[in-house]
C-alpha cells in the first residue's frame, strides 16, 4: 500500500472534497462514480478508501463544510451585521433563500430528493444535534432582543425555529408556481413584522 505524507493526505482529502462537490452538485450522489471522484486528484479508485469509507462518507464531509460556510455567509449578512432585529431577520431570510436558490449543491439536496437519503445516514441524536446547532446561531440574538423588549415574548427556540423554518418554503416552489417570489418576499416581511415589537 502506498504511503502518503501528512501533507499529501491533506491535499488528496481536499482534492476529493473539491471534485466531489463539483460532481455531486452536477450529477448527484447516485450518478457519481468513485473513478470520477479520484481521477481529478490523481489517485486510483482503491486508494479512495484510504480517505473515505464510501461516497456517502465523502458527501457527508462535503456537506458539513458547506453548512459551516453557508452559516458564516448568512450570519455575516444578517444577525452579525446589525443591531436592528427587523433588519437582522429580514437579512437572514433573504440570504438563506439566496443560498438555497443559487447554490447548486443545496438545490440538489433539498429540491431533488437527496434529502431522504442523507437523513438516513444520520442517527436521531445527530439530527437533533444538527437542529440544535442551527437554532443556536439565532437564539442568543433572540434572547438579547427579548430582554431589550425589541422582539415579542415567547420561547426563544420557537422564535428561532420560525425564522429557520421559513426557508423551507423553497421545498414547495413548484406547488406555489409563478407567484413563488412574491409569496417568498411577503412571507419574509410578515415574519419580520410579526416578531419585532413596535
Amino acid at each position: 500500500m502506498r504511503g502518503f505524507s501528512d501533507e499529501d493526505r491533506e491535499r488528496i482529502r481536499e482534492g476529493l472534497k473539491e471534485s466531489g462537490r463539483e460532481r455531486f452538485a452536477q450529477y448527484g450522489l447516485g450518478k457519481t462514480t468513485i473513478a470520477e471522484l479520484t481521477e481529478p486528484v490523481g489517485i486510483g479508485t482503491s486508494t479512495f478508501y484510504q480517505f473515505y469509507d464510501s461516497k456517502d462518507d465523502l458527501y457527508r464531509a462535503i456537506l458539513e463544510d458547506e453548512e459551516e460556510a453557508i452559516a458564516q455567509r448568512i450570519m455575516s449578512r444578517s444577525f452579525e451585521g446589525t443591531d436592528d432585529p427587523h433588519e437582522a431577520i429580514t437579512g437572514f431570510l433573504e440570504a438563506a433563500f439566496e443560498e438555497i436558490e443559487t447554490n447548486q449543491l443545496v438545490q440538489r439536496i433539498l429540491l431533488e430528493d437527496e434529502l431522504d437519503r442523507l437523513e438516513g445516514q444520520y442517527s436521531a441524536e445527530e439530527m437533533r444535534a444538527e437542529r440544535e446547532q442551527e437554532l443556536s446561531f439565532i437564539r442568543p440574538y433572540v434572547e438579547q432582543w427579548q430582554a431589550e423588549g425589541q422582539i415579542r415574548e415567547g420561547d426563544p427556540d420557537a422564535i428561532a425555529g420560525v425564522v429557520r423554518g421559513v426557508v423551507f418554503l423553497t421545498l414547495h416552489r413548484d406547488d406555489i408556481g409563478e407567484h413563488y417570489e412574491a409569496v417568498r418576499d411577503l412571507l419574509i416581511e410578515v415574519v419580520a413584522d410579526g416578531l419585532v415589537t413596535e
Side-chain angles (χ1 to χ4, degrees):
M1 184 185 306
R2 179 182 164 196
F4 294 104
S5 68
D6 289 344
E7 185 178 294
D8 285 341
R9 291 188 70 76
E10 182 61 25
R11 179 185 55 76
I12 292 168
R13 187 175 297 279
E14 290 305 312
L16 287 170
K17 283 184 181 179
E18 184 179 327
S19 67
R21 190 189 187 293
E22 291 171 10
R23 296 296 301 186
F24 296 148
Q26 190 169 4
Y27 301 106
L29 180 59
K31 293 182 181 177
T32 299
T33 67
I34 298 292
E36 290 168 335
L37 297 169
T38 58
E39 183 181 346
V41 185
I43 61 171
T45 55
S46 61
T47 306
F48 173 88
Y49 297 100
Q50 292 183 38
F51 296 90
Y52 295 98
D53 292 336
S54 64
K55 284 191 305 180
D56 287 18
D57 190 34
L58 172 60
Y59 200 42
R60 188 171 168 170
I62 291 167
L63 292 180
E64 287 169 1
D65 288 352
E66 190 71 11
E67 286 173 3
E68 186 176 321
I70 288 171
Q72 288 175 354
R73 287 194 297 267
I74 291 173
M75 293 302 288
S76 70
R77 290 180 53 188
S78 60
F79 289 93
E80 293 173 358
T82 182
D83 291 330
D84 180 277
H86 193 281
E87 200 175 293
I89 292 167
T90 301
F92 178 90
L93 293 173
E94 289 173 348
F97 275 112
E98 183 180 323
E99 283 288 343
I100 291 170
E101 292 166 3
T102 61
N103 185 315
Q104 197 174 7
L105 185 61
V106 172
Q107 285 182 342
R108 169 108 16 218
I109 295 163
L110 291 180
L111 306 179
E112 298 185 21
D113 298 329
E114 291 200 4
L115 191 58
D116 291 339
R117 179 173 178 165
L118 287 173
E119 286 179 348
Q121 296 178 26
Y122 292 86
S123 69
E125 187 172 311
E126 287 174 316
M127 292 298 290
R128 276 192 301 276
E130 177 71 20
R131 283 191 296 273
E132 173 60 28
Q133 181 182 9
E134 290 172 1
L135 293 177
S136 72
F137 289 124
I138 303 171
R139 184 187 306 113
Y141 297 96
V142 171
E143 292 171 338
Q144 176 187 335
W145 288 328
Q146 281 181 325
E148 296 168 356
Q150 296 186 69
I151 283 189
R152 69 184 302 152
E153 290 299 315
D155 179 3
D157 283 345
I159 292 172
V162 166
V163 175
R164 175 187 170 270
V166 167
V167 298
F168 290 102
L169 176 74
T170 308
L171 295 174
H172 302 283
R173 185 175 192 151
D174 290 342
D175 298 327
I176 296 167
E178 64 185 65
H179 301 293
Y180 168 77
E181 290 181 4
V183 170
R184 175 200 64 203
D185 294 345
L186 181 58
L187 183 59
I188 290 171
E189 181 183 332
V190 167
V191 167
D193 289 348
L195 292 176
V196 176
T197 58
E198 291 297 327

